[in-house]
Amino acid sequence: MLPKKEHPKEKTKLHPRNKHRERYDFKELIKSCPELEQYVELNDYNDESIDFFDAEAVKTLNKALLKHFYAVNYWEIPQNYLCPPIPGRADYIHYAADLLGNLNNGKIPTGEKITCLDIGVGANCVYPIIGNKEYGWNFIGTEIDSVAVDSANKIIDMNAQLKEKIEIRLQQNPKDILYGVLKKDERIDISFCNPPFHASLEEAQAGTLRKLSNLKGKKITTASLNFGGKNNELWCKGGEIGFVRDMIRQSKQFSESVFWFTTSISKQSNLNAIYQELEKANAIEVKTIPMGQGNKTSRIVAWTFKTKEEQQKWVKEKW
């Protein structure tokens, strides 16, 4: 047994309103989700934990977190689909809320008057779950994978509080991001997106091996699917940068109906190319919001085509 680790009381890199700043209280989580108990054990430091290499353990931890903090009684995802880290997803939601609040004299707009768009909602439906619970927002989730659509719809159907609040739409054309799923007259306050990181399957597998090696503290040579992720969730032609460039180009056509477009960007080296694309598209305002989870630093890039006057008008009329 290694000497007990001294852990900071709070994960201060997470957003101040994030419910996951404290270390996981496994006793409380097990009360909410008894099936988690079978996966909780003492680690080398004599701390309660789970084996993050075990896909079922990771999924059950997510279930427990969603039940305990977000009142979600049913949450299942098909095998091998992305099982996202809940604290990081919550961070994105809270920073987006701040972005809206800054335009509203510091008051975050809440309730169903706010409509969000989640591009690539996934089988897990996590952004809409957190955004609806924390701020009462409505969501439209888009997805190119019909299995993921069915899974997200089942989560909504099995949790009464999510019905009528989240609508999932199948994107028929994988080359399109906004066309075909967004109606011209719909008014969206903010969009969310976690683009596929990688440009190829090989790159995605190498990324998974890096992630697992970091987790284990030693070189791992065979990829385990504990984080899950179907091909279209992990990679696409052109990778993160290609996807976001396409999104920026299409966003110009929806400049009237969407207030803020946002996307997470995992690779800092992609930022300059993204800023150039935004300049080309004549975005009026661009913001970069840093996020930090554990050892990983990520960021949100947000842009709007609305002038200050148009922004004020939107806030006044809609919020």
Side-chain angles (χ1 to χ4, degrees):
M1 188 73 69
L2 297 168
K4 194 156 173 63
K5 258 188 178 176
E6 281 302 311
H7 298 286
K9 272 223 169 319
E10 276 198 312
K11 298 170 190 164
T12 50
K13 286 184 182 173
L14 291 176
H15 189 283
R17 286 193 304 279
N18 195 319
K19 287 173 171 165
H20 310 288
R21 280 170 70 96
E22 292 180 7
R23 286 180 60 73
Y24 294 139
D25 183 336
F26 283 102
K27 286 182 177 55
E28 286 302 308
L29 290 173
I30 288 165
K31 273 187 208 167
S32 294
C33 180
E35 65 187 288
L36 179 63
E37 187 167 18
Q38 63 188 304
Y39 300 108
V40 175
E41 51 194 30
L42 292 177
N43 63 16
D44 292 344
Y45 299 97
N46 211 20
D47 287 319
E48 282 191 325
S49 189
I50 63 162
D51 177 2
F52 284 92
F53 268 57
D54 180 340
E56 277 307 308
V58 172
K59 187 165 100 170
T60 310
L61 173 62
N62 268 17
K63 253 190 208 180
L65 292 170
L66 290 168
K67 194 167 185 184
H68 188 74
F69 291 104
Y70 304 103
V72 169
N73 285 317
Y74 170 90
W75 186 81
E76 283 291 345
I77 52 171
Q79 202 174 357
N80 297 343
Y81 276 72
L82 195 63
C83 189
I86 304 297
R89 297 301 196 256
D91 244 31
Y92 191 165
I93 293 284
H94 291 303
Y95 280 112
D98 289 344
L99 178 62
L100 299 184
N102 292 340
L103 303 158
N104 196 36
N105 300 319
K107 187 175 184 289
I108 293 166
T110 58
E112 54 194 37
K113 59 180 178 280
I114 300 298
T115 301
C116 310
L117 176 70
D118 182 6
I119 297 163
V121 63
N124 57 74
C125 201
V126 161
Y127 283 127
I129 287 169
I130 297 173
N132 180 259
K133 174 66 177 163
E134 296 290 65
Y135 300 108
W137 297 338
N138 282 352
F139 275 78
I140 296 164
T142 70
E143 185 50 67
I144 61 172
D145 182 325
S146 59
V147 175
V149 167
D150 291 344
S151 172
N153 274 327
K154 188 166 185 195
I155 291 167
I156 295 161
D157 289 344
M158 299 288 280
N159 292 284
Q161 76 277 19
L162 301 178
K163 284 185 180 180
E164 313 295 316
K165 309 287 184 193
I166 305 166
E167 183 192 341
I168 308 295
R169 295 178 185 172
L170 180 67
Q171 170 58 272
Q172 304 276 4
N173 183 354
K175 288 191 174 71
D176 281 337
I177 295 168
L178 297 163
Y179 299 120
V181 282
L182 209 50
K183 303 174 184 113
K184 273 284 188 197
D185 58 342
E186 279 179 311
R187 299 178 86 203
I188 304 292
D189 298 281
I190 192 161
S191 76
F192 293 85
C193 182
N194 244 68
F197 293 162
H198 305 292
S200 68
L201 179 58
E202 294 69 35
E203 196 188 300
Q205 285 171 337
T208 299
L209 291 176
R210 262 198 315 278
K211 195 185 230 181
L212 294 172
S213 298
N214 290 341
L215 205 73
K216 212 67 173 166
K218 63 181 184 194
K219 193 167 170 61
I220 303 294
T221 52
T222 53
S224 144
L225 287 168
N226 65 326
F227 300 99
K230 299 298 278 184
N231 288 350
N232 60 353
E233 294 179 302
L234 298 177
W235 71 274
C236 67
K237 199 174 173 202
E240 178 175 77
I241 187 90
F243 188 95
V244 175
R245 274 179 167 153
D246 286 347
M247 182 179 164
I248 291 166
R249 284 194 281 266
Q250 289 194 24
S251 71
K252 179 80 176 152
Q253 306 306 314
F254 291 86
S255 59
E256 291 294 305
S257 54
V258 181
F259 190 164
W260 279 102
F261 296 92
T262 78
T263 181
S264 67
I265 300 293
S266 69
K267 296 176 184 170
Q268 182 149 7
S269 56
N270 286 339
L271 286 174
N272 278 342
I274 287 164
Y275 296 149
Q276 283 168 13
E277 198 65 52
L278 285 164
E279 209 173 310
K280 232 191 282 179
N282 298 319
I284 286 175
E285 199 176 341
V286 176
K287 290 178 184 290
T288 305
I289 304 161
M291 294 191 293
Q293 294 112 40
N295 301 322
K296 184 174 175 280
T297 305
S298 178
R299 71 264 333 134
I300 300 162
V301 173
W303 66 96
T304 185
F305 296 98
K306 300 199 174 300
T307 62
K308 286 285 179 212
E309 293 72 27
E310 288 168 332
Q311 291 180 31
Q312 239 101 63
K313 186 171 183 276
W314 180 290
V315 170
K316 206 172 163 188
E317 286 177 3
K318 194 167 181 293
W319 302 355

